[in-house]
Amino acid sequence: MQSPDGDIIDCVHVSHQPAFDHPFLKNHSIQMRPTYHPEGLFDENKVASQKTKTPSTAQLWHQNGRCPEDTIPIRRTTRDDVLRASSVKRYGRKKHRSIPYPLSVDPDLLNESGHQHAIAYVEGDRYYGAKATINVWRPKIQQPNEFSLSQLWILGGSFGEDLNSIEAGWQVSPDLYGDNNTRLFTYWTSDAYQATGCYNLLCSGFIQVNNEVAMGASISPISNYDGSQYDISILVWKDPKEGNWWMQFGNDYVLGYWPSFLFSYLSDSASMIEWGGEVVNSDADGEHTSTEMGSGRFPEEGFSKASYFRNIQVVDGSNNLRAPTGVGAFTEQSNCYDVQNGNNGEWGQYFYYGGPGRNSNCP
């Protein structure tokens, strides 16, 4: 199917997807649904449906058709997509070391990777999943090799060579997709972005079971400054019986899972959860990038102007969704991108985050 944004979506039989190129998956019997959902997931939906809630978003390609049962929609990789990458091998991979270290780390180390963050995080416990409702925007990107994303991270291991990470959210990445559309994405790595893992279905790993949602496809509609607000809800959790990490998009779409054998630490549990924004600052001409994070506005502007994550939750060892405790906030340069945590009845734990990048206080 041709999508209005120029993408081509192929419907591929569920057993012929890229995941099954993985040597460990040769004889894998696909799990079509999780054994358990986290407790407390559906209570929240009942409450939400009684209130006026922000409308959720769809995917553009749905305007031109759907994929039949037993197939999954895959965004077709074009020759141009691959040519934009530094090499075929690097296509669909994040640069090494793009994780926010909210710990007391040498600041020189932080800017070395050129990635900047504004995040909320929890650590110090064992986590079996995370959830958030994420405000959707289309931030401006200054250089094609930069990106802006808003996501959750499920992390295990140290920030050294053996970091395990599962990530999901929305991103604008001209390098990866060839345009400035806001797109749904996932990422995983089991060795700190070195040799394993990729975005979406660009390598073997994530097993998709859903025939309605395409990874990497454009999200529509997008929030407007001082106008209509749209958000997406993402849940990633570990099935207590099978041990696989599942992802759900919105209230209705269980997308698929990362088999637990892909990971070392995460085959057991996560030791840290992060939510928030990340941009690449390539520091062209010695000036900070003007690539925006979130809506491109600072948190203090508030609703309908600044971007937010709301109802952030973690899944505990009893498979219960609950509000996180001891949430910290972290940003490398608060004059460029900032974060502000809050808590109220309807939004639970939430935060506003983002910023314009280069400005008079962020040269």
Side-chain angles (χ1 to χ4, degrees):
M1 272 159 293
Q2 182 90 31
S3 171
D5 59 2
D7 280 1
I8 294 174
I9 303 291
D10 292 301
C11 302
V12 176
H13 193 272
V14 68
S15 59
H16 298 158
Q17 62 183 294
F20 294 109
D21 297 340
H22 196 291
F24 287 3
L25 285 171
K26 285 290 177 254
N27 301 314
H28 181 80
S29 53
I30 198 162
Q31 205 187 333
M32 288 309 286
R33 59 188 58 81
T35 323
Y36 296 101
H37 277 80
E39 297 292 325
L41 180 60
F42 299 108
D43 315 351
E44 184 190 307
N45 297 348
K46 285 186 203 110
V47 176
S49 58
Q50 290 156 12
K51 295 190 173 133
T52 55
K53 56 175 188 196
T54 41
S56 63
T57 61
Q59 294 198 308
L60 277 177
W61 66 274
H62 287 169
Q63 294 171 24
N64 292 337
R66 300 279 171 140
C67 282
E69 290 291 308
D70 294 326
T71 70
I72 63 163
I74 299 185
R75 177 184 181 269
R76 188 180 297 181
T77 299
T78 65
R79 185 164 167 266
D80 288 348
D81 288 341
V82 179
L83 290 176
R84 278 190 309 274
S86 54
S87 72
V88 171
K89 195 158 170 267
R90 293 303 305 164
Y91 177 64
R93 296 186 190 278
K94 269 194 183 182
K95 305 272 191 300
H96 188 26
R97 287 261 305 282
S98 62
I99 278 276
Y101 302 82
L103 315 163
S104 48
V105 174
D106 172 10
D108 293 340
L109 207 67
L110 289 171
N111 288 329
E112 186 190 317
S113 70
H115 288 242
Q116 288 190 281
H117 307 85
I119 60 160
Y121 68 97
V122 288
E123 59 180 337
D125 203 348
R126 297 171 75 157
Y127 306 101
Y128 296 84
K131 182 171 191 286
T133 297
I134 311 173
N135 198 195
V136 181
W137 292 84
R138 183 180 295 145
K140 291 193 187 71
I141 312 295
Q142 185 189 322
Q143 314 252 83
N145 63 337
E146 297 178 331
F147 64 61
S148 181
L149 55 75
S150 297
Q151 65 169 62
L152 52 83
W153 286 260
I154 291 176
L155 301 168
S158 68
F159 285 92
E161 306 293 288
D162 60 356
L163 181 81
N164 288 197
S165 183
I166 289 175
E167 307 170 26
W170 60 256
Q171 69 183 157
V172 177
S173 176
D175 232 11
L176 194 56
Y177 304 105
D179 61 24
N180 291 301
N181 289 351
T182 304
R183 295 168 176 275
L184 174 71
F185 82 96
T186 59
Y187 199 89
W188 70 276
T189 178
S190 59
D191 63 356
Y193 307 100
Q194 294 174 88
T196 62
C198 60
Y199 283 110
N200 307 328
L201 303 179
L202 297 175
C203 65
S204 53
F206 185 82
I207 298 175
Q208 184 161 335
V209 297
N210 182 285
N211 67 334
E212 297 198 63
V213 175
M215 298 289 196
S218 299
I219 299 171
S220 168
I222 302 289
S223 302
N224 290 306
Y225 183 78
D226 220 1
S228 304
Q229 297 302 298
Y230 298 95
D231 44 39
I232 58 172
S233 147
I234 288 181
L235 164 67
V236 175
W237 82 102
K238 196 174 201 311
D239 182 336
K241 183 160 181 277
E242 303 287 339
N244 299 323
W245 287 90
W246 283 83
M247 174 173 167
Q248 178 170 315
F249 176 65
N251 294 333
D252 308 311
Y253 302 113
V254 173
L255 292 195
Y257 60 96
W258 290 269
S260 69
F261 70 71
L262 294 173
F263 305 102
S264 48
Y265 298 97
L266 288 180
S267 58
D268 175 50
S269 61
S271 50
M272 188 169 191
I273 307 288
E274 299 175 345
W275 300 263
E278 175 183 356
V279 299
V280 175
N281 171 27
S282 54
D283 237 0
D285 310 324
E287 288 187 319
H288 193 286
T289 182
S290 58
T291 287
E292 297 174 339
M293 181 191 291
S295 68
R297 303 290 179 139
F298 284 114
E300 39 280 7
E301 290 202 39
F303 185 74
S304 88
K305 298 179 177 69
S307 187
Y308 59 78
F309 279 59
R310 63 180 172 87
N311 302 104
I312 65 172
Q313 291 176 297
V314 295
V315 180
D316 66 16
S318 314
N319 198 33
N320 286 305
L321 264 174
R322 58 175 177 76
T325 49
V327 179
F330 169 79
T331 179
E332 289 93 348
Q333 289 177 274
S334 58
N335 290 339
C336 308
Y337 310 105
D338 205 3
V339 56
Q340 283 183 2
N341 291 344
N343 197 341
N344 69 31
E346 201 171 335
W347 278 23
Q349 291 265 13
Y350 69 88
F351 61 91
Y352 284 98
Y353 71 101
R358 187 169 76 235
N359 64 72
S360 53
N361 299 316
C362 168

